[in-house]
Each structure stands twice: as structure tokens, then as C-alpha cells.
Amino acid sequence: MQTTKISKINAQTKLCALIGNPVKHSMSPAMHNAAFDKLGLNIKYIALQVEENQLKQAIKGLKALNIIGLNITIPHKQKVMHHLDKVDLVAKKIGAVNTILNKNGKLHGFNTDLQGAIMSLEEHTVVKNKKVVILGAGGAARSIAFGLKQNKAKVIILNRTVKKAKKLAKQVGCSTMKLDQLDSIKADILINATSVGMHSNTDKSLATKEQLKNFEIVMDIVYNPLETKLIRLAKQAGCTTITGLKMLVLQAAASFEIWTGKKPDIKLMQKVALKKLGGTK
Ligand code: NAP
């Protein structure tokens, strides 16, 4: 692979892409292109909107066009697994792939959301033996729950739809409680893995300031807005806080490493994402 500084597209340019629907607000092209350029790699990253009934053809195209790798986002993270040659054991357990590597014409699937979440937490604490409450039982919560269990944390899942929480807890091997029991829980870490607090719904938080006083660390995986209501309340409650931007950047960095075998400039990726999200620090 070339290591000289290249930013222009030419006949040797290789390609990575994001496929999903919608993709037009994704931070990934900006983060990856900055990181490729910084290392002088002649690779570009684009976002491609792919309809659900076109997924199979899109994946065939990946092989045919010799694209280095893909990120996969909603709604394809589960179904894409049927079209791969090999799926990493952890991604198989989670039941979702967010990264594909095209290695000599064979497609390998991975899930880097898990690494993004665990690495974000491990910048502040060791998760082993920590008691962790996860709010949510959707796609992101699945990756985080499996990641925490793999790292020997004690996990409790709380979700609006109790049936989904129970199903996930059974698969992961952890416990569940109801959302309205949050008052009675004291733990090391609380993670919001729901979409509550996201852009257009920014005045909502599933936990109150009083409830957050029972946690040391509060992480919100929502990254738009950069500072959610939950994070603001957690700061007021005296907790250490981790925003969704960290996980976003670290899952991207893990995908970058799978494709290139090189470590990207994480600070640069974070700066670029922050700028796109309208942040200043
Ligand atoms: P998902 O699969 O659709 O799951 C959504 C979750 O949110 C479900 O548990 C759902 O509960 C819960 N929820 C939605 N509205 C709710 C409400 N009003 N009250 C209580 N619970 C509610 O979505 P996802 O892929 O897991 O993504 C969740 C969030 O994480 C999104 O905001 C996404 O942008 C963010 N995310 C961030 C990163 C990152 O790198 N920072 C990575 C992945 C995702 P029910 O089961 O009851 O519907």
C-alpha cells in the first residue's frame, strides 16, 4: 500500500464505502477520508444509499469492483450476514455486522460497535466486575451488552419493551429490570443505548438527576446533539460522563484498522466529526 501523501483521486485509487438507508447525514466519509489522507493512503470513502431489496446486488458489486471494505448501517446490519463468506464469532453472537473486509475476494464480517463502546468506557475505568445498567435492547444495546459480558461486567438491561429486554438478557446471560425500577438501582455505570435524547427529541432523558446520583459513570451513545440532556443531568449529579462521539470515533477507527492494518489518527477523526456536528472542543 502507498504511504506517500495523496489526496487526489487517480487510476490507483481504492475505495471503501458505507451502505445503508438513509446515509446522507453520516459522519463516516469525513472521518475516514481525513484519516486516509493523513496516512497518505490512496483510498477514498463514500456513502451509498442502498434499498433493502438491492442489498444482495450491492454486496456482489463489492466483490466485482474489488472495493476494500464497507461499513454497514441501518437497515442492513443483520441481513447482510447472509451474503458474507465468513462472520467473526462475536458479530455472529451479536447478530449484526457493521464492517466488511474484502480479502482476496472473500468477504469477512465484523462488529466494531462493540469495540467502540468498550474502548470508550475503558478510557475511564476497567469494566471487569463493574455493575453496568444498559437502557435499551435495540441493535446498539445488543453490541454493548455482549461486549460488556465478554469483558466480565455484571450487566442489567432495562428497556421500554420488556419482552425485548428479556430476550436479549437471555442471549447475553445477564439480568433485566423494568425502566420504572431505575430509582432502586445503584451501579458503577449507566449507558443510554436508546434513541431518547437524539436530535429533534433533545428535551428527553430516561433518567432524572436524582437517579443518576447512584452511578459513577454515565455514557450516552447518542452523539447528535453532542451533549444530550442525560449527559447534562449526569454532570449536575457529579458523574463522570462519556458522550456518543467517543464511541462513534472509536468504532470507525476499529473499522479503519481492519481495512488497512494501520492505526488511524483518532484525534483527527474526532476533530472532523466534532466539526460536522457543530461542536467546538
Ligand atoms: P434501535 O435498534 O432502533 O433501538 C432503539 C432503542 O431505543 C430500543 O431499545 C427502543 O425501545 C428504545 N427507545 C426508542 N424510543 C424510546 C422511548 N421513547 N422511550 C424509551 N425507549 C425508547 O436503534 P439502535 O441502532 O440501537 O440505536 C440507538 C441509538 O444509538 C441511536 O440514537 C443511534 O444513533 C445511537 N448509536 C450510536 C452509536 C455511536 O457510535 N455513538 C452507534 C450505534 C447507535 P423499544 O425496544 O421499546 O422500542
Side-chain angles (χ1 to χ4, degrees), residues 50-78:
V50 173
E51 302 294 331
E52 287 195 61
N53 62 2
Q54 296 293 321
L55 180 63
K56 191 175 170 188
Q57 288 91 323
I59 298 299
K60 272 190 177 173
L62 164 67
K63 275 191 184 181
L65 298 170
N66 202 18
I67 290 172
I68 294 177
L70 293 182
N71 277 139
I72 313 294
T73 190
I74 289 168
H76 304 311
K77 282 185 179 184
Q78 287 84 27

PDB file of all heavy atoms in Angstrom, residues 50-78:
ATOM      1  N   VAL A  50     -28.504   2.324  -0.211  1.00  0.00           N
ATOM      2  CA  VAL A  50     -28.892   1.037  -0.822  1.00  0.00           C
ATOM      3  C   VAL A  50     -30.246   0.609  -0.251  1.00  0.00           C
ATOM      4  O   VAL A  50     -30.406   0.488   0.960  1.00  0.00           O
ATOM      5  CB  VAL A  50     -27.814  -0.047  -0.543  1.00  0.00           C
ATOM      6  CG1 VAL A  50     -28.279  -1.413  -1.005  1.00  0.00           C
ATOM      7  CG2 VAL A  50     -26.496   0.326  -1.211  1.00  0.00           C
ATOM      8  N   GLU A  51     -31.201   0.374  -1.139  1.00  0.00           N
ATOM      9  CA  GLU A  51     -32.535  -0.077  -0.718  1.00  0.00           C
ATOM     10  C   GLU A  51     -32.441  -1.530  -0.239  1.00  0.00           C
ATOM     11  O   GLU A  51     -31.558  -2.276  -0.675  1.00  0.00           O
ATOM     12  CB  GLU A  51     -33.517  -0.016  -1.911  1.00  0.00           C
ATOM     13  CG  GLU A  51     -33.660   1.357  -2.551  1.00  0.00           C
ATOM     14  CD  GLU A  51     -34.307   2.386  -1.630  1.00  0.00           C
ATOM     15  OE1 GLU A  51     -35.106   1.991  -0.765  1.00  0.00           O
ATOM     16  OE2 GLU A  51     -33.983   3.586  -1.779  1.00  0.00           O
ATOM     17  N   GLU A  52     -33.393  -1.927   0.600  1.00  0.00           N
ATOM     18  CA  GLU A  52     -33.334  -3.288   1.173  1.00  0.00           C
ATOM     19  C   GLU A  52     -33.338  -4.370   0.100  1.00  0.00           C
ATOM     20  O   GLU A  52     -32.626  -5.356   0.203  1.00  0.00           O
ATOM     21  CB  GLU A  52     -34.500  -3.495   2.150  1.00  0.00           C
ATOM     22  CG  GLU A  52     -34.273  -2.719   3.440  1.00  0.00           C
ATOM     23  CD  GLU A  52     -35.184  -3.159   4.567  1.00  0.00           C
ATOM     24  OE1 GLU A  52     -35.118  -4.323   4.958  1.00  0.00           O
ATOM     25  OE2 GLU A  52     -35.963  -2.310   5.042  1.00  0.00           O
ATOM     26  N   ASN A  53     -34.131  -4.172  -0.967  1.00  0.00           N
ATOM     27  CA  ASN A  53     -34.203  -5.215  -1.996  1.00  0.00           C
ATOM     28  C   ASN A  53     -32.999  -5.200  -2.956  1.00  0.00           C
ATOM     29  O   ASN A  53     -32.933  -5.986  -3.886  1.00  0.00           O
ATOM     30  CB  ASN A  53     -35.536  -5.138  -2.770  1.00  0.00           C
ATOM     31  CG  ASN A  53     -35.686  -3.808  -3.505  1.00  0.00           C
ATOM     32  OD1 ASN A  53     -34.783  -2.960  -3.463  1.00  0.00           O
ATOM     33  ND2 ASN A  53     -36.804  -3.615  -4.162  1.00  0.00           N
ATOM     34  N   GLN A  54     -32.062  -4.292  -2.717  1.00  0.00           N
ATOM     35  CA  GLN A  54     -30.860  -4.222  -3.564  1.00  0.00           C
ATOM     36  C   GLN A  54     -29.602  -4.686  -2.812  1.00  0.00           C
ATOM     37  O   GLN A  54     -28.495  -4.635  -3.352  1.00  0.00           O
ATOM     38  CB  GLN A  54     -30.630  -2.772  -4.032  1.00  0.00           C
ATOM     39  CG  GLN A  54     -31.711  -2.209  -4.925  1.00  0.00           C
ATOM     40  CD  GLN A  54     -31.753  -2.921  -6.263  1.00  0.00           C
ATOM     41  OE1 GLN A  54     -30.721  -3.255  -6.822  1.00  0.00           O
ATOM     42  NE2 GLN A  54     -32.953  -3.168  -6.770  1.00  0.00           N
ATOM     43  N   LEU A  55     -29.784  -5.141  -1.573  1.00  0.00           N
ATOM     44  CA  LEU A  55     -28.622  -5.461  -0.737  1.00  0.00           C
ATOM     45  C   LEU A  55     -27.739  -6.550  -1.362  1.00  0.00           C
ATOM     46  O   LEU A  55     -26.513  -6.413  -1.436  1.00  0.00           O
ATOM     47  CB  LEU A  55     -29.095  -5.879   0.666  1.00  0.00           C
ATOM     48  CG  LEU A  55     -27.985  -6.250   1.639  1.00  0.00           C
ATOM     49  CD1 LEU A  55     -27.073  -5.058   1.927  1.00  0.00           C
ATOM     50  CD2 LEU A  55     -28.552  -6.782   2.950  1.00  0.00           C
ATOM     51  N   LYS A  56     -28.369  -7.620  -1.826  1.00  0.00           N
ATOM     52  CA  LYS A  56     -27.611  -8.749  -2.385  1.00  0.00           C
ATOM     53  C   LYS A  56     -26.747  -8.281  -3.574  1.00  0.00           C
ATOM     54  O   LYS A  56     -25.552  -8.597  -3.646  1.00  0.00           O
ATOM     55  CB  LYS A  56     -28.605  -9.826  -2.842  1.00  0.00           C
ATOM     56  CG  LYS A  56     -27.952 -11.130  -3.188  1.00  0.00           C
ATOM     57  CD  LYS A  56     -29.011 -12.165  -3.499  1.00  0.00           C
ATOM     58  CE  LYS A  56     -28.348 -13.400  -4.087  1.00  0.00           C
ATOM     59  NZ  LYS A  56     -29.358 -14.340  -4.580  1.00  0.00           N
ATOM     60  N   GLN A  57     -27.354  -7.497  -4.446  1.00  0.00           N
ATOM     61  CA  GLN A  57     -26.611  -7.000  -5.616  1.00  0.00           C
ATOM     62  C   GLN A  57     -25.474  -6.069  -5.186  1.00  0.00           C
ATOM     63  O   GLN A  57     -24.401  -6.090  -5.766  1.00  0.00           O
ATOM     64  CB  GLN A  57     -27.546  -6.241  -6.580  1.00  0.00           C
ATOM     65  CG  GLN A  57     -28.501  -7.135  -7.339  1.00  0.00           C
ATOM     66  CD  GLN A  57     -29.827  -7.319  -6.600  1.00  0.00           C
ATOM     67  OE1 GLN A  57     -29.847  -7.407  -5.382  1.00  0.00           O
ATOM     68  NE2 GLN A  57     -30.915  -7.361  -7.340  1.00  0.00           N
ATOM     69  N   ALA A  58     -25.755  -5.257  -4.178  1.00  0.00           N
ATOM     70  CA  ALA A  58     -24.723  -4.324  -3.706  1.00  0.00           C
ATOM     71  C   ALA A  58     -23.510  -5.099  -3.187  1.00  0.00           C
ATOM     72  O   ALA A  58     -22.358  -4.736  -3.454  1.00  0.00           O
ATOM     73  CB  ALA A  58     -25.291  -3.426  -2.597  1.00  0.00           C
ATOM     74  N   ILE A  59     -23.764  -6.176  -2.469  1.00  0.00           N
ATOM     75  CA  ILE A  59     -22.660  -6.967  -1.904  1.00  0.00           C
ATOM     76  C   ILE A  59     -21.906  -7.705  -3.022  1.00  0.00           C
ATOM     77  O   ILE A  59     -20.675  -7.807  -2.989  1.00  0.00           O
ATOM     78  CB  ILE A  59     -23.182  -7.939  -0.817  1.00  0.00           C
ATOM     79  CG1 ILE A  59     -23.797  -7.143   0.341  1.00  0.00           C
ATOM     80  CG2 ILE A  59     -22.071  -8.839  -0.303  1.00  0.00           C
ATOM     81  CD1 ILE A  59     -22.854  -6.197   1.067  1.00  0.00           C
ATOM     82  N   LYS A  60     -22.638  -8.173  -4.023  1.00  0.00           N
ATOM     83  CA  LYS A  60     -21.969  -8.802  -5.166  1.00  0.00           C
ATOM     84  C   LYS A  60     -21.055  -7.790  -5.850  1.00  0.00           C
ATOM     85  O   LYS A  60     -19.948  -8.099  -6.278  1.00  0.00           O
ATOM     86  CB  LYS A  60     -23.009  -9.288  -6.186  1.00  0.00           C
ATOM     87  CG  LYS A  60     -23.511 -10.677  -5.920  1.00  0.00           C
ATOM     88  CD  LYS A  60     -24.327 -11.146  -7.116  1.00  0.00           C
ATOM     89  CE  LYS A  60     -24.804 -12.564  -6.942  1.00  0.00           C
ATOM     90  NZ  LYS A  60     -25.712 -12.951  -8.024  1.00  0.00           N
ATOM     91  N   GLY A  61     -21.554  -6.557  -5.935  1.00  0.00           N
ATOM     92  CA  GLY A  61     -20.787  -5.477  -6.563  1.00  0.00           C
ATOM     93  C   GLY A  61     -19.487  -5.188  -5.826  1.00  0.00           C
ATOM     94  O   GLY A  61     -18.472  -4.852  -6.428  1.00  0.00           O
ATOM     95  N   LEU A  62     -19.535  -5.353  -4.519  1.00  0.00           N
ATOM     96  CA  LEU A  62     -18.338  -5.129  -3.689  1.00  0.00           C
ATOM     97  C   LEU A  62     -17.204  -6.049  -4.154  1.00  0.00           C
ATOM     98  O   LEU A  62     -16.056  -5.623  -4.328  1.00  0.00           O
ATOM     99  CB  LEU A  62     -18.718  -5.391  -2.231  1.00  0.00           C
ATOM    100  CG  LEU A  62     -17.662  -5.604  -1.167  1.00  0.00           C
ATOM    101  CD1 LEU A  62     -16.877  -4.330  -0.955  1.00  0.00           C
ATOM    102  CD2 LEU A  62     -18.298  -6.021   0.149  1.00  0.00           C
ATOM    103  N   LYS A  63     -17.554  -7.311  -4.388  1.00  0.00           N
ATOM    104  CA  LYS A  63     -16.549  -8.269  -4.876  1.00  0.00           C
ATOM    105  C   LYS A  63     -16.129  -7.903  -6.303  1.00  0.00           C
ATOM    106  O   LYS A  63     -14.943  -7.829  -6.615  1.00  0.00           O
ATOM    107  CB  LYS A  63     -17.133  -9.682  -4.889  1.00  0.00           C
ATOM    108  CG  LYS A  63     -17.049 -10.405  -3.574  1.00  0.00           C
ATOM    109  CD  LYS A  63     -17.392 -11.889  -3.765  1.00  0.00           C
ATOM    110  CE  LYS A  63     -17.415 -12.605  -2.424  1.00  0.00           C
ATOM    111  NZ  LYS A  63     -17.720 -14.020  -2.529  1.00  0.00           N
ATOM    112  N   ALA A  64     -17.122  -7.681  -7.147  1.00  0.00           N
ATOM    113  CA  ALA A  64     -16.844  -7.432  -8.569  1.00  0.00           C
ATOM    114  C   ALA A  64     -15.972  -6.197  -8.764  1.00  0.00           C
ATOM    115  O   ALA A  64     -15.093  -6.176  -9.624  1.00  0.00           O
ATOM    116  CB  ALA A  64     -18.160  -7.272  -9.325  1.00  0.00           C
ATOM    117  N   LEU A  65     -16.195  -5.182  -7.948  1.00  0.00           N
ATOM    118  CA  LEU A  65     -15.461  -3.924  -8.108  1.00  0.00           C
ATOM    119  C   LEU A  65     -14.198  -3.867  -7.255  1.00  0.00           C
ATOM    120  O   LEU A  65     -13.479  -2.879  -7.264  1.00  0.00           O
ATOM    121  CB  LEU A  65     -16.368  -2.734  -7.748  1.00  0.00           C
ATOM    122  CG  LEU A  65     -17.602  -2.576  -8.622  1.00  0.00           C
ATOM    123  CD1 LEU A  65     -18.550  -1.545  -8.033  1.00  0.00           C
ATOM    124  CD2 LEU A  65     -17.215  -2.198 -10.050  1.00  0.00           C
ATOM    125  N   ASN A  66     -13.960  -4.953  -6.521  1.00  0.00           N
ATOM    126  CA  ASN A  66     -12.782  -5.048  -5.659  1.00  0.00           C
ATOM    127  C   ASN A  66     -12.665  -3.875  -4.681  1.00  0.00           C
ATOM    128  O   ASN A  66     -11.587  -3.310  -4.480  1.00  0.00           O
ATOM    129  CB  ASN A  66     -11.517  -5.193  -6.516  1.00  0.00           C
ATOM    130  CG  ASN A  66     -10.383  -5.814  -5.728  1.00  0.00           C
ATOM    131  OD1 ASN A  66     -10.617  -6.428  -4.687  1.00  0.00           O
ATOM    132  ND2 ASN A  66      -9.160  -5.618  -6.180  1.00  0.00           N
ATOM    133  N   ILE A  67     -13.794  -3.534  -4.102  1.00  0.00           N
ATOM    134  CA  ILE A  67     -13.814  -2.489  -3.063  1.00  0.00           C
ATOM    135  C   ILE A  67     -13.166  -3.068  -1.807  1.00  0.00           C
ATOM    136  O   ILE A  67     -13.370  -4.237  -1.479  1.00  0.00           O
ATOM    137  CB  ILE A  67     -15.277  -2.043  -2.806  1.00  0.00           C
ATOM    138  CG1 ILE A  67     -15.764  -1.255  -4.032  1.00  0.00           C
ATOM    139  CG2 ILE A  67     -15.420  -1.229  -1.529  1.00  0.00           C
ATOM    140  CD1 ILE A  67     -17.227  -0.911  -4.020  1.00  0.00           C
ATOM    141  N   ILE A  68     -12.322  -2.283  -1.126  1.00  0.00           N
ATOM    142  CA  ILE A  68     -11.565  -2.803   0.034  1.00  0.00           C
ATOM    143  C   ILE A  68     -12.495  -3.256   1.160  1.00  0.00           C
ATOM    144  O   ILE A  68     -12.318  -4.313   1.755  1.00  0.00           O
ATOM    145  CB  ILE A  68     -10.615  -1.714   0.592  1.00  0.00           C
ATOM    146  CG1 ILE A  68      -9.520  -1.393  -0.426  1.00  0.00           C
ATOM    147  CG2 ILE A  68      -9.995  -2.151   1.914  1.00  0.00           C
ATOM    148  CD1 ILE A  68      -8.580  -0.278   0.039  1.00  0.00           C
ATOM    149  N   GLY A  69     -13.467  -2.419   1.471  1.00  0.00           N
ATOM    150  CA  GLY A  69     -14.332  -2.785   2.595  1.00  0.00           C
ATOM    151  C   GLY A  69     -15.522  -1.856   2.714  1.00  0.00           C
ATOM    152  O   GLY A  69     -15.587  -0.799   2.064  1.00  0.00           O
ATOM    153  N   LEU A  70     -16.455  -2.265   3.555  1.00  0.00           N
ATOM    154  CA  LEU A  70     -17.677  -1.483   3.751  1.00  0.00           C
ATOM    155  C   LEU A  70     -17.968  -1.291   5.229  1.00  0.00           C
ATOM    156  O   LEU A  70     -17.589  -2.124   6.052  1.00  0.00           O
ATOM    157  CB  LEU A  70     -18.897  -2.228   3.177  1.00  0.00           C
ATOM    158  CG  LEU A  70     -19.037  -2.455   1.691  1.00  0.00           C
ATOM    159  CD1 LEU A  70     -20.362  -3.167   1.421  1.00  0.00           C
ATOM    160  CD2 LEU A  70     -18.999  -1.144   0.904  1.00  0.00           C
ATOM    161  N   ASN A  71     -18.652  -0.201   5.534  1.00  0.00           N
ATOM    162  CA  ASN A  71     -19.405  -0.090   6.776  1.00  0.00           C
ATOM    163  C   ASN A  71     -20.862  -0.334   6.402  1.00  0.00           C
ATOM    164  O   ASN A  71     -21.309   0.068   5.317  1.00  0.00           O
ATOM    165  CB  ASN A  71     -19.290   1.314   7.390  1.00  0.00           C
ATOM    166  CG  ASN A  71     -18.037   1.491   8.211  1.00  0.00           C
ATOM    167  OD1 ASN A  71     -17.381   2.522   8.159  1.00  0.00           O
ATOM    168  ND2 ASN A  71     -17.688   0.476   8.989  1.00  0.00           N
ATOM    169  N   ILE A  72     -21.565  -0.965   7.335  1.00  0.00           N
ATOM    170  CA  ILE A  72     -22.979  -1.269   7.109  1.00  0.00           C
ATOM    171  C   ILE A  72     -23.778  -0.567   8.190  1.00  0.00           C
ATOM    172  O   ILE A  72     -23.452  -0.669   9.377  1.00  0.00           O
ATOM    173  CB  ILE A  72     -23.261  -2.791   7.231  1.00  0.00           C
ATOM    174  CG1 ILE A  72     -22.237  -3.609   6.446  1.00  0.00           C
ATOM    175  CG2 ILE A  72     -24.680  -3.127   6.816  1.00  0.00           C
ATOM    176  CD1 ILE A  72     -22.294  -3.435   4.970  1.00  0.00           C
ATOM    177  N   THR A  73     -24.819   0.151   7.780  1.00  0.00           N
ATOM    178  CA  THR A  73     -25.680   0.763   8.784  1.00  0.00           C
ATOM    179  C   THR A  73     -27.130   0.357   8.553  1.00  0.00           C
ATOM    180  O   THR A  73     -27.430  -0.437   7.644  1.00  0.00           O
ATOM    181  CB  THR A  73     -25.467   2.295   8.859  1.00  0.00           C
ATOM    182  OG1 THR A  73     -26.151   2.786  10.009  1.00  0.00           O
ATOM    183  CG2 THR A  73     -25.956   3.017   7.620  1.00  0.00           C
ATOM    184  N   ILE A  74     -28.018   0.906   9.392  1.00  0.00           N
ATOM    185  CA  ILE A  74     -29.450   0.593   9.332  1.00  0.00           C
ATOM    186  C   ILE A  74     -29.955   0.774   7.901  1.00  0.00           C
ATOM    187  O   ILE A  74     -29.593   1.758   7.266  1.00  0.00           O
ATOM    188  CB  ILE A  74     -30.217   1.526  10.309  1.00  0.00           C
ATOM    189  CG1 ILE A  74     -29.891   1.098  11.751  1.00  0.00           C
ATOM    190  CG2 ILE A  74     -31.703   1.524  10.074  1.00  0.00           C
ATOM    191  CD1 ILE A  74     -30.336   2.106  12.810  1.00  0.00           C
ATOM    192  N   PRO A  75     -30.725  -0.129   7.301  1.00  0.00           N
ATOM    193  CA  PRO A  75     -31.359  -1.305   7.923  1.00  0.00           C
ATOM    194  C   PRO A  75     -30.683  -2.637   7.571  1.00  0.00           C
ATOM    195  O   PRO A  75     -31.331  -3.686   7.679  1.00  0.00           O
ATOM    196  CB  PRO A  75     -32.758  -1.256   7.298  1.00  0.00           C
ATOM    197  CG  PRO A  75     -32.482  -0.805   5.886  1.00  0.00           C
ATOM    198  CD  PRO A  75     -31.290   0.118   5.955  1.00  0.00           C
ATOM    199  N   HIS A  76     -29.398  -2.607   7.196  1.00  0.00           N
ATOM    200  CA  HIS A  76     -28.799  -3.816   6.613  1.00  0.00           C
ATOM    201  C   HIS A  76     -27.911  -4.636   7.548  1.00  0.00           C
ATOM    202  O   HIS A  76     -27.363  -5.654   7.134  1.00  0.00           O
ATOM    203  CB  HIS A  76     -27.946  -3.421   5.395  1.00  0.00           C
ATOM    204  CG  HIS A  76     -28.690  -2.650   4.349  1.00  0.00           C
ATOM    205  ND1 HIS A  76     -29.908  -3.052   3.863  1.00  0.00           N
ATOM    206  CD2 HIS A  76     -28.383  -1.489   3.696  1.00  0.00           C
ATOM    207  CE1 HIS A  76     -30.326  -2.180   2.960  1.00  0.00           C
ATOM    208  NE2 HIS A  76     -29.421  -1.215   2.843  1.00  0.00           N
ATOM    209  N   LYS A  77     -27.721  -4.181   8.792  1.00  0.00           N
ATOM    210  CA  LYS A  77     -26.713  -4.800   9.666  1.00  0.00           C
ATOM    211  C   LYS A  77     -26.944  -6.292   9.921  1.00  0.00           C
ATOM    212  O   LYS A  77     -25.989  -7.031  10.125  1.00  0.00           O
ATOM    213  CB  LYS A  77     -26.668  -4.079  11.017  1.00  0.00           C
ATOM    214  CG  LYS A  77     -25.909  -2.767  10.997  1.00  0.00           C
ATOM    215  CD  LYS A  77     -25.825  -2.218  12.424  1.00  0.00           C
ATOM    216  CE  LYS A  77     -25.058  -0.927  12.477  1.00  0.00           C
ATOM    217  NZ  LYS A  77     -24.876  -0.437  13.854  1.00  0.00           N
ATOM    218  N   GLN A  78     -28.189  -6.715   9.948  1.00  0.00           N
ATOM    219  CA  GLN A  78     -28.479  -8.139  10.210  1.00  0.00           C
ATOM    220  C   GLN A  78     -28.481  -8.930   8.903  1.00  0.00           C
ATOM    221  O   GLN A  78     -27.792  -9.934   8.761  1.00  0.00           O
ATOM    222  CB  GLN A  78     -29.850  -8.320  10.897  1.00  0.00           C
ATOM    223  CG  GLN A  78     -29.886  -7.897  12.352  1.00  0.00           C
ATOM    224  CD  GLN A  78     -30.125  -6.397  12.520  1.00  0.00           C
ATOM    225  OE1 GLN A  78     -30.737  -5.764  11.661  1.00  0.00           O
ATOM    226  NE2 GLN A  78     -29.630  -5.809  13.587  1.00  0.00           N
TER     227      GLN A  78
END
